[in-house]
């Protein structure tokens, strides 16, 4: 392909690029849907593209162009074909029997979403826009937002990712992909809502979050769902252009190809399934792991081939004999550990524990009169069935030296659509009913704002069976408002090292301290 600065830089469609300047030599490297003053700035380009009927490249047309390039009579003719088509030469990859154009090279979500789109939008907000623009984030707001992100680490579980740095101060200091992920999934919207960022900007950004979360979630999708995704992408792109370009043709540069590439995501899902299958992060990690294992200077390629062969052999063996693997079998129910002794004085009426035990007694509907001695043990931690440890505020306050909280959870009750979010106070084992329960403060007055949950902590306590706990969550709180932070769908797709998580010798994640 001729590259992103060519007239036809999009490798999946024949949409023409656009210029954002009338200066001599300006490149056709931007992809607006309906650019303003198009007849003046881009007279050869269509005034508007229908996002539902884009001119998608085809295999037959590709080989026809390759034939024309091969038979071109002069360099000028060759360059003319490249300019008109965006195809510059036949790649070595075409020798593969699997080569099909244009679907042979899929989109890479790792870079597209988190290292191209997110930094670009952040830069527009903070440095690439004027103070009087609707999309501009003032210095004061950007500083405050960055500070709140860094402060929010205390209630983000360490198993989610490493510490996310202040983007205002550290954006140019090799800000990592997982940090952009954290801003996209967790922090921009709630902090923007609380700091009263421009509502139109937040609404548009929430649509981007919805798109990315949908495509990064591993789940089978129906044709109707993919069509719904396509409509959301189209709405986002049109609204983005209205908001970030408006009627100023000199701002067309904000319609970079990385933003326009979102229009091809539904098509990629039809081609391959989950867009995560095209992740370059997996390839880069495999290359890195293999590179570290190559020790032969005499025959490095033979050494590398043996490494890959052994890796694939082990995979095949595990498929035939899964019992050879070291993976833990899924538990039937969460397991409590971290025993905390109950003192006699804590059972007295008026004490917090007495109230907790009384609430448990009423919740599990035990026969007879309540006695504060009906439970002998309480526990500080709970090993969930997915392998993650949920702590209680009790364990965090008794010398476990946890610097980042792990006591917040999401639960689901059968037949109830709305999730339950809570702060675990302690775990108890009830011998009479063979139950494990959690006593917690629930999040109440729940409402959805821009597709994210928000509530306030209740002072009352509730009881849940631990089997109803879905997962550990983080929270971000400002004043009295609390926003639950669910583990993002790309979490399992990258390694602990790529998430900035350090693991100690016992397999536990190392806690981060101030």
């Amino acid at each position: 392909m001729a590259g992103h600065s060519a007239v036809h830089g999009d490798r999946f469609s024949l949409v023409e690029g656009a210029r954002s300047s009338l200066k001599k030599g300006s490149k056709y490297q931007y992809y607006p849907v309906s650019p303003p003053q198009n007849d003046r700035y881009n007279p050869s380009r269509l005034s508007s593209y229908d996002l539902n009927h884009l001119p998608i490249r085809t295999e037959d047309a590709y080989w026809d162009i390759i034939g024309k390039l091969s038979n071109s009579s002069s360099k000028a003719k060759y360059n003319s074909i490249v300019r008109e088509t965006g195809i510059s030469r036949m790649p070595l990859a075409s020798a593969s029997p699997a080569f099909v154009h244009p679907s042979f090279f899929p989109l890479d979500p790792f870079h597209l979403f988190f290292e191209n789109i997110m930094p670009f939008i952040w830069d527009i907000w903070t440095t690439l826009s004027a103070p009087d623009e609707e999309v501009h984030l003032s210095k004061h707001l950007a500083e405050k937002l960055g500070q709140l992100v860094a402060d929010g680490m205390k209630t983000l579980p360490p198993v989610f990712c490493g510490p996310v740095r202040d983007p205002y101060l550290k954006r140019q200091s090799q800000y990592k992909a997982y940090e952009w992920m954290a801003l996209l999934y967790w922090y921009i919207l709630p902090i923007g809502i609380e700091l009263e960022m421009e509502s139109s900007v937040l609404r548009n950004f929430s649509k981007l979050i919805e798109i990315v979360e949908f495509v990064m979630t591993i789940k089978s999708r129906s044709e109707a769902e993919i069509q719904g995704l396509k409509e959301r992408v189209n709405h986002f792109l049109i609204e983005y252009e209205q908001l970030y370009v408006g009627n100023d043709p000199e701002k067309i540069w904000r319609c970079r190809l990385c933003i326009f590439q979102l229009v091809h995501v539904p098509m990629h899902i039809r081609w391959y399934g989950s867009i995560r299958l095209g992740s370059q992060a997996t390839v880069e990690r495999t290359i890195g792991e293999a590179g570290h294992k190559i020790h032969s200077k005499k025959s490095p390629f033979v050494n590398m081939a043996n490494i890959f062969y052994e890796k694939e052999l082990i995979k095949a063996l595990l498929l035939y004999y899964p019992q050879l693997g070291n993976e833990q079998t899924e538990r039937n129910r969460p397991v409590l550990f971290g025993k905390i002794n109950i003192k006699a004085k804590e059972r007295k009426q008026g004490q917090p524990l007495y109230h907790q035990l009384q609430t448990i007694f009423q919740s599990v509907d035990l026969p007879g009169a309540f006695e504060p001695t009906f439970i002998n043990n309480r526990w500080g931690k709970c090993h969930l069935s997915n392998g993650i440890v949920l702590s209680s505020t009790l364990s965090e306050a008794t010398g476990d030296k946890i610097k980042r909280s792990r006591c917040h959870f999401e639960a689901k009750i059968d037949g109830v659509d709305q999730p339950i979010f809570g702060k675990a106070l302690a775990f108890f084992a009830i011998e009479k009913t063979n139950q494990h329960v959690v006593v917690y403060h629930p999040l109440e007055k729940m409402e959805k704002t821009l597709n994210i949950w928000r509530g306030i902590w209740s002072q009352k306590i509730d009881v849940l069976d631990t089997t109803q706990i879905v997962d550990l969550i983080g929270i971000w709180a400002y004043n009295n408002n609390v926003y639950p932070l669910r583990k993002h769908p790309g979490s399992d797709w990258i390694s602990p090292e790529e998430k900035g998580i350090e693991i100690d010798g016992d397999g536990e994640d190392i806690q981060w301290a101030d």
Side-chain angles (χ1 to χ4, degrees):
M1 307 304 293
H4 71 278
S5 61
V7 178
H8 292 91
D10 181 12
R11 57 194 168 96
F12 303 108
S13 76
L14 289 168
V15 173
E16 286 188 33
R19 299 189 301 167
S20 65
S21 172
L22 294 175
K23 292 180 180 178
K24 186 178 179 181
S26 58
K27 300 292 185 182
Y28 292 83
Q29 60 187 46
Y30 308 111
Y31 290 81
V33 180
S34 303
Q37 299 185 36
N38 187 69
D39 55 345
R40 182 182 176 204
Y41 279 76
N42 302 283
S44 64
R45 190 181 189 270
L46 289 177
S47 60
S48 180
Y49 279 96
D50 182 353
L51 294 177
N52 289 311
H53 299 93
L54 294 176
I56 301 299
R57 295 180 183 273
T58 65
E59 174 83 356
D60 291 341
Y62 174 78
W63 288 115
D64 182 57
I65 294 164
I66 291 296
K68 289 179 179 178
L69 289 172
S70 300
N71 298 324
S72 59
S73 56
S74 65
K75 187 174 181 179
K77 180 65 175 175
Y78 188 100
N79 291 337
S80 175
I81 296 171
V82 173
R83 178 181 174 83
E84 291 172 5
T85 65
I87 296 172
S88 61
R89 63 181 66 85
M90 184 169 64
L92 182 63
S94 65
S96 167
F99 182 82
V100 178
H101 185 80
S103 61
F104 189 73
F105 298 103
L107 288 171
D108 171 25
F110 180 78
H111 290 94
L112 179 64
F113 299 147
F114 309 118
E115 294 198 329
N116 297 143
I117 293 177
M118 264 307 299
F120 181 54
I121 291 178
W122 174 262
D123 288 343
I124 292 176
W125 289 348
T126 55
T127 60
L128 302 178
S129 56
D132 60 344
E133 289 189 70
E134 191 176 8
V135 298
H136 184 73
L137 194 62
S138 69
K139 182 176 181 291
H140 170 72
L141 277 180
E143 284 181 336
K144 184 66 175 174
L145 188 151
Q147 179 187 343
L148 290 174
V149 168
D151 292 345
M153 289 303 95
K154 294 174 182 176
T155 49
L156 183 72
V159 73
F160 275 30
C161 68
V164 181
R165 296 169 294 167
D166 180 339
Y168 182 76
L169 297 176
K170 302 295 183 180
R171 186 263 178 270
Q172 303 299 336
S173 302
Q174 295 183 327
Y175 211 69
K176 297 179 175 62
Y178 81 81
E179 294 177 286
W180 291 118
M181 278 180 167
L183 292 183
L184 176 70
Y185 286 120
W186 298 325
Y187 291 116
I188 294 294
L189 270 190
I191 295 177
I193 290 169
E194 294 298 328
L195 295 185
E196 298 183 349
M197 275 180 64
E198 179 60 45
S199 59
S200 58
V201 176
L202 288 180
R203 278 197 306 270
N204 181 252
F205 189 77
S206 71
K207 292 177 182 177
L208 174 63
I209 296 174
E210 189 179 3
I211 291 166
V212 175
E213 189 163 358
F214 179 93
V215 302
M216 293 301 291
T217 300
I218 298 180
K219 184 180 178 182
S220 58
R221 300 295 187 183
S222 66
E223 182 60 34
E225 287 176 312
I226 296 174
Q227 184 59 34
L229 170 66
K230 184 175 180 61
E231 292 172 4
R232 288 197 293 273
V233 170
N234 292 353
H235 289 158
F236 168 77
L237 290 174
I238 292 169
E239 187 179 79
Y240 174 90
E241 191 171 320
Q242 293 169 345
L243 188 61
Y244 287 81
V245 177
N247 295 318
D248 189 347
E250 301 285 333
K251 293 176 183 174
I252 290 174
W253 61 267
R254 293 175 178 174
C255 296
R256 277 190 182 174
L257 185 57
C258 64
I259 302 290
F260 183 75
Q261 292 285 279
L262 290 170
V263 80
H264 299 312
V265 169
M267 180 173 65
H268 271 64
I269 295 175
R270 290 189 178 100
W271 284 348
Y272 306 106
S274 173
I275 197 172
R276 289 162 53 144
L277 297 175
S279 167
Q280 193 172 325
T282 309
V283 178
E284 290 177 353
R285 181 163 64 247
T286 302
I287 292 171
E289 290 174 353
H292 289 305
K293 293 176 182 177
I294 295 172
H295 300 299
S296 173
K297 293 183 179 180
K298 181 181 178 182
S299 305
F301 293 104
V302 174
N303 191 184
M304 181 175 67
N306 288 334
I307 290 168
F308 286 128
Y309 175 77
E310 290 173 4
K311 188 174 182 179
E312 294 306 311
L313 184 62
I314 291 170
K315 274 187 185 177
L317 281 171
L318 289 174
L319 288 174
Y320 280 106
Y321 306 104
Q323 64 270 25
L324 295 175
N326 293 322
E327 294 184 3
Q328 295 180 347
T329 56
E330 188 171 322
R331 301 177 178 85
N332 292 325
R333 67 175 183 178
V335 176
L336 307 184
F337 67 105
K339 185 177 179 180
I340 299 172
N341 293 326
I342 297 177
K343 299 175 182 177
K345 65 179 181 180
E346 291 180 299
R347 296 183 186 271
K348 293 182 179 179
Q349 192 167 357
Q351 296 297 317
L353 179 63
Y354 182 93
H355 181 46
Q356 292 177 18
L357 296 175
Q358 190 176 48
T359 305
I360 294 172
F361 186 85
Q362 295 167 352
S363 299
V364 298
D365 197 24
L366 290 171
F370 168 68
E371 290 292 339
T373 56
F374 86 104
I375 287 180
N376 296 321
N377 298 318
R378 61 178 166 174
W379 310 85
K381 298 180 181 181
C382 178
H383 215 146
L384 303 180
S385 57
N386 61 7
I388 292 178
V389 174
L390 173 66
S391 299
S392 66
T393 56
L394 193 62
S395 70
E396 293 186 355
T398 54
D400 279 359
K401 298 181 180 177
I402 294 178
K403 300 297 182 182
R404 286 170 65 178
S405 177
R406 295 187 288 190
C407 65
H408 305 103
F409 66 87
E410 177 180 352
K412 184 77 171 66
I413 296 178
D414 292 339
V416 179
D417 292 334
Q418 184 168 297
I420 293 173
F421 300 104
K423 182 194 297 182
L425 300 177
F427 303 97
F428 296 88
I430 306 173
E431 294 180 5
K432 287 186 179 180
T433 58
N434 193 29
Q435 277 182 282
H436 292 167
V437 298
V438 58
V439 176
Y440 69 101
H441 283 309
L443 204 60
E444 63 177 8
K445 297 184 179 178
M446 299 260 291
E447 62 177 358
K448 262 196 170 181
T449 303
L450 296 179
N451 291 320
I452 59 172
W453 288 106
R454 177 173 70 179
I456 61 173
W457 286 125
S458 172
Q459 293 305 307
K460 70 175 184 178
I461 62 171
D462 279 342
V463 177
L464 271 178
D465 193 293
T466 55
T467 57
Q468 295 172 312
I469 298 175
V470 175
D471 211 344
L472 178 71
I473 64 166
I475 64 161
W476 183 78
Y478 192 79
N479 294 331
N480 291 325
N481 291 325
V482 179
Y483 297 83
L485 308 178
R486 290 166 163 152
K487 190 163 43 172
H488 58 69
S491 177
D492 297 329
W493 159 63
I494 55 178
S495 68
E497 292 79 11
E498 290 164 333
K499 288 189 284 187
I501 298 174
E502 296 183 47
I503 306 297
D504 63 19
D506 298 323
E508 287 286 326
D509 46 295
I510 297 173
Q511 307 299 313
W512 168 76
D514 292 86

